[in-house]
Amino acid sequence: MANERPGAATGAPAARPSLLVVDDDPLITDTLAFALGTHYQVLTAESRTEAVERVRQLERAPALALVDLGLPPNPHSPEEGFRLIGDLLAHAPGMKIFVLSGQNDAANARHARALGAWEFIAKPCDAATLKRVLDRAQQETAPEVAELVGSSAPMEKLRSQIAQFAPSPFPVLIEGESGSGKELVAHSLHRLSGRSARPFLALNCAALAPTLIEATLFGYAKGAFTGATAAKSGYFEDAQDGSLFLDEIGELPLEMQAKLLRVIENGEFQRLGETQRRVSRARVITATNRDLRHAARHGSFRADLYHRLSVLSLQVAPLRELDRDKLVLLEHFRQLYARQSGVGAFSLDAAAQARWLRYAFPGNVRELRNIVIRLITKYGGQRVSVAELEPELDLDVPVPGAGEPGTLIEQAQRQLERAAGFSLDQTLKAWERGYIEAALRLTRGNMSQAAKLLGINRTTLYSRMEAPRPPLIPGEDK
């Protein structure tokens, strides 16, 4: 069970920032809770599942997190730690995550940063150093881009579609990779619509425990469940006739999808524990980084709901396809953070600028923003070379969506350009890791279905994951 350590809570002011510490070694979590508890409200967990469950139960997500990469069930692999970074940022995009790991590997550090972690801190690390790092992070903020930045053909097309769809009352489905700016697109649709003076509410479906989703969306009556001491409205009521943005819609449980379909079709819903019919006039905007069409065909997402949500659809292009917009975004963020931090903006020399343009940015705009933050912190007012830039780039993982032979060759050329340190074995393992993770996401963790998608048997999948074989899940194919 996750805990708030006693040493982290006694006699502390309410204004202390909250800090989540995730490590499977109780000695480490206890030590950090004791050492940092005077300044932070420290919450601890020993696994990815435990950490996600704890954060979901909180009214406000922790501002900061220290995450070990080597977590159960396989503490010798960084996969659970990588997945936890994505889980935490899906719940709270503004959370500042620091990887505190004994797996002091440059490739792991780069990949963690590409996923959205602020920094990688090698173990052992004394409490005083950690406190300085966390305090500095508290002084830095990372606001999102206020408007769509860039002039590439995909960006111009996106702007045109937003302007075309914004006045419509019909649902819009926004598709795109993690970190590509889907919520920003949703804000733009609302801002350019006739509803702009009305509420804009956003809810991340992956951030809530399944048992809380219905009450959160539709509200509940007094006494509807233990702890419901008063009636409460849900997001559909609170949005009134404004816009309701449901992010990570592909993670909505199947039983809730039928209720969402009813609201979209006729506007009707009921609070949990009530029989009174209520009506919502909110426009529903959804977003996903999954292939919902594929999910609908394979039964993990309702086909009728998919067709209702995708009456109008927008595709947000990944950053690797935006050409020189990478430089436009670089300029935008470096000026923003230079002003914010009170230092001079760094600049890239010609070789570093060319390298920046060749880089695929697997973490998209979120990754670019975090790279700029690190560069402004390390090299504010200075000229940055390729040698200084490359340690900040995640060069050892496959580019999301790359699959065509030409794309693969181009990526291979990019990686081999930095011949020092390249490992074919590590690269092939990274590709395998990416396909396994993709299959598990598409099948919502069903090992038999994932193995079938990958064209291997389940025993082989377990061995490829390098994890102990868990007990057979009831109902799962043998």
Side-chain angles (χ1 to χ4, degrees):
M1 178 73 182
N3 294 297
E4 181 176 332
R5 300 296 186 187
T10 306
R16 286 177 306 160
S18 54
L19 168 66
L20 173 68
V21 179
V22 188
D23 198 299
D24 63 341
D25 186 342
L27 179 61
I28 292 177
T29 54
D30 285 340
T31 300
L32 290 176
F34 179 80
L36 300 172
T38 305
H39 305 281
Y40 294 94
Q41 182 183 355
V42 181
L43 311 171
T44 65
E46 296 179 5
S47 69
R48 180 176 70 90
T49 303
E50 191 179 357
V52 170
E53 201 60 37
R54 182 61 187 270
V55 170
R56 281 175 168 174
Q57 293 170 359
L58 297 173
E59 189 170 328
R60 178 185 289 271
L64 302 161
L66 287 171
V67 172
D68 183 26
L69 287 184
L71 296 172
N74 186 6
H76 300 294
S77 167
E79 292 308 307
E80 280 293 282
F82 289 151
R83 292 178 68 185
L84 179 56
I85 293 171
D87 291 340
L88 293 176
L89 289 175
H91 183 92
M95 187 185 296
K96 296 168 185 175
I97 301 172
F98 294 84
V99 173
L100 183 63
S101 180
Q103 301 180 22
N104 189 12
D105 180 272
N108 285 343
R110 287 193 294 266
H111 188 49
R113 289 193 291 253
L115 292 171
W118 274 57
E119 196 50 89
F120 186 98
I121 305 170
K123 291 180 182 178
C125 182
D126 62 273
T129 300
L130 276 178
K131 183 179 180 302
R132 283 196 300 272
V133 171
L134 295 171
D135 287 348
R136 186 172 68 243
Q138 283 289 96
Q139 303 303 315
E140 300 173 358
T141 57
E144 298 295 329
V145 185
E147 58 184 27
L148 296 172
V149 173
S151 57
S152 62
M155 286 301 299
E156 292 299 340
K157 178 182 178 181
L158 182 60
R159 285 196 188 91
S160 175
Q161 289 180 312
I162 290 172
Q164 184 181 17
F165 294 167
S168 169
F170 301 113
V172 179
L173 175 64
I174 305 168
E175 299 175 284
E177 295 174 7
S178 294
S180 58
K182 296 185 293 295
E183 184 166 356
L184 179 60
V185 172
H187 274 285
S188 298
L189 285 165
H190 177 74
R191 190 178 68 250
L192 296 175
S193 74
R195 304 167 184 260
S196 58
R198 300 296 185 178
F200 175 91
L201 298 184
L203 179 68
N204 191 307
C205 298
L208 287 174
T211 53
L212 299 177
I213 290 179
E214 183 174 3
T216 303
L217 283 175
F218 304 124
Y220 52 85
K222 180 180 179 180
F225 51 84
T226 303
T229 56
K232 190 177 187 305
S233 59
Y235 272 63
F236 272 100
E237 269 182 90
D238 294 343
Q240 302 170 32
D241 52 354
S243 301
L244 176 57
F245 174 54
L246 301 178
D247 199 3
E248 302 286 0
I249 190 64
E251 306 307 314
L252 194 69
L254 278 168
E255 60 270 21
M256 281 303 305
Q257 292 177 22
K259 297 186 178 183
L260 177 60
L261 178 64
R262 181 186 178 194
V263 183
I264 292 174
E265 287 188 329
N266 57 30
E268 294 182 1
F269 69 95
Q270 293 171 325
R271 287 184 181 180
L272 191 63
E274 274 189 358
T275 57
Q276 178 184 343
R277 170 182 169 273
R278 297 176 185 271
V279 177
S280 169
R281 295 181 178 82
R283 185 195 196 179
V284 176
I285 303 171
T286 55
T288 183
N289 59 11
R290 293 179 58 194
D291 184 345
L292 284 193
R293 179 174 299 185
H294 182 278
R297 287 173 179 166
H298 288 78
S300 59
F301 196 84
R302 288 183 64 117
D304 49 3
L305 178 58
Y306 167 71
H307 291 301
R308 290 294 293 169
L309 294 177
S310 60
V311 170
L312 302 172
S313 62
L314 292 169
Q315 187 73 40
V316 183
L319 184 53
R320 63 182 174 275
E321 296 178 4
L322 300 188
D323 194 31
R324 298 190 70 82
D325 281 355
K326 296 174 185 177
L327 293 177
V328 177
L329 284 162
L330 167 66
E331 179 64 19
H332 172 87
F333 281 120
R334 71 179 173 185
Q335 294 298 335
L336 174 66
Y337 295 124
R339 290 194 302 270
Q340 196 175 94
S341 59
V343 301
F346 67 88
S347 61
L348 302 182
D349 66 22
Q353 191 173 115
R355 188 70 189 88
W356 183 271
L357 283 171
R358 291 196 308 273
Y359 182 52
F361 289 97
N364 291 299
V365 178
R366 180 189 292 139
E367 181 189 6
L368 183 148
R369 182 195 67 190
N370 287 351
I371 291 173
V372 172
I373 290 172
R374 293 194 297 273
L375 291 175
I376 204 80
T377 301
K378 297 176 181 179
Y379 306 111
Q382 300 177 38
R383 199 159 182 79
V384 175
S385 68
V386 171
E388 292 161 333
L389 173 63
E390 285 211 329
E392 309 301 332
L393 308 182
D394 187 18
L395 301 168
D396 298 301
V397 295
V399 177
E404 296 300 319
T407 307
L408 291 173
I409 292 170
E410 290 169 6
Q411 183 182 345
Q413 286 178 331
R414 285 193 296 267
Q415 288 189 299
L416 290 171
E417 283 174 352
R418 52 174 211 97
F422 177 81
S423 166
L424 181 60
D425 286 340
Q426 288 182 6
T427 302
L428 293 177
K429 286 179 182 177
W431 273 100
E432 180 176 276
R433 183 178 71 203
Y435 274 96
I436 289 174
E437 177 64 23
L440 289 171
R441 288 183 183 181
L442 286 171
T443 61
R444 303 178 75 85
N446 186 296
M447 297 292 286
S448 293
Q449 291 181 17
K452 186 176 180 180
L453 275 180
L454 293 166
I456 58 178
N457 62 46
R458 196 174 63 167
T459 304
T460 302
L461 177 57
Y462 280 119
S463 66
R464 296 283 179 90
M465 292 174 68
E466 299 180 346
R469 179 170 176 164
L472 185 66
I473 299 172
E476 185 178 276
D477 296 335
K478 295 184 179 180

